[in-house]
Amino acid sequence: QVQLVESGGGLVQAGGSLRLSCAVVGSDITINIMEWYRQAPGKQRELVAGETSGGITNYADSVQGRFIISRDNAKNTVSLQMNSLKPEDTAVYYCRAGLRLTSQPTYFEAWGQGTLVTVSS
């Protein structure tokens, strides 16, 4: 069984910073991509940032230059450093992993439970 455990959300003033963390809990797993999504009230879930196992990163235009994704492949963790936060960054943030059991060829996805980030103006 695979679980994604997130932490680090909270309330911050505009211009401040927060760091989100996500740990993939499970054994004998191979993780391909790790991503952060967010969903604001009344809006669709959107991709914020992602990083492949090879270290290739991508960011939404809205967070480029402000957010930094980083992963530790040895620990199966990924973090999202969020700087210069804006009220429009307010959302529930979800961690997602594309992974497979090492003994199996088929990849599947797993999601974290979500962590709320609120940015006050």
Side-chain angles (χ1 to χ4, degrees):
Q1 186 175 1
V2 176
Q3 288 185 314
L4 273 60
V5 181
E6 302 168 9
S7 60
L11 173 65
V12 65
Q13 288 188 332
S17 298
L18 277 177
R19 185 179 181 88
L20 306 182
S21 297
C22 173
V24 181
V25 180
S27 58
D28 298 322
I29 55 176
T30 299
I31 303 171
N32 180 14
I33 194 163
M34 299 190 77
E35 298 171 316
W36 287 96
Y37 283 75
R38 67 185 180 188
Q39 187 166 18
K43 295 188 177 181
Q44 289 188 330
R45 191 172 297 189
E46 62 174 356
L47 176 65
V48 176
E51 184 171 350
T52 69
S53 58
I56 298 172
T57 59
N58 67 289
Y59 296 91
D61 290 343
S62 59
V63 307
Q64 182 77 45
R66 299 188 297 123
F67 291 10
I68 301 171
I69 188 171
S70 61
R71 60 186 283 182
D72 185 329
N73 291 330
K75 296 181 179 179
N76 288 343
T77 60
V78 64
S79 63
L80 185 68
Q81 178 66 41
M82 304 185 293
N83 302 317
S84 302
L85 283 160
K86 305 175 181 179
E88 51 263 44
D89 294 319
T90 294
V92 177
Y93 284 71
Y94 298 89
C95 176
R96 175 190 176 275
L99 68 166
R100 62 180 175 91
L101 299 177
T102 303
S103 61
Q104 302 292 326
T106 304
Y107 279 88
F108 60 95
E109 65 177 9
W111 290 84
Q113 78 281 5
T115 185
L116 178 62
V117 172
T118 304
V119 184
S120 63
S121 57

